[in-house]
Amino acid sequence: MTAAATNLYLSVDQVALRYNVSKDSIWRWKRKGDFPAPAKLGGTTTRWRLADIEQWEGELACSFVASLSFEPEALMGR
């Protein structure tokens, strides 16, 4: 985490752009508890701390597929 990340706040538009999803998706993730809570800066201003987002990203499980075996005919209904 950089020093700038500890002081940088992102709007819902910026967070949605970061993950290439809609703003509604960000709010849904937040409601379900699948995403860091935003900070209420006053009035209707809500922002996410970049440091919180980066920490959350670092805690995500990551995996990859080494090989994938399937029969294309089965997908075509044969």
Side-chain angles (χ1 to χ4, degrees):
M1 179 179 351
T2 64
T6 59
N7 296 321
L8 189 60
Y9 289 83
L10 303 178
S11 69
V12 68
D13 291 315
Q14 292 169 316
V15 175
L17 183 61
R18 181 181 182 99
Y19 297 108
N20 196 31
V21 298
S22 70
K23 294 185 292 186
D24 290 338
S25 292
I26 300 301
W27 289 115
R28 184 173 47 255
W29 296 350
K30 183 252 179 204
R31 279 192 310 272
K32 289 175 56 181
D34 296 337
F35 200 68
K40 193 80 164 166
L41 300 182
T44 60
T45 305
T46 302
R47 298 289 186 265
W48 278 265
R49 288 183 57 231
L50 179 58
D52 293 343
I53 290 174
E54 288 178 342
Q55 179 181 353
W56 174 78
E57 288 172 347
E59 295 169 357
L60 291 175
C62 180
S63 64
F64 64 93
V65 175
S67 66
L68 181 60
S69 176
F70 68 94
E71 297 178 26
E73 297 82 21
L75 297 175
M76 299 174 77
R78 294 183 183 171

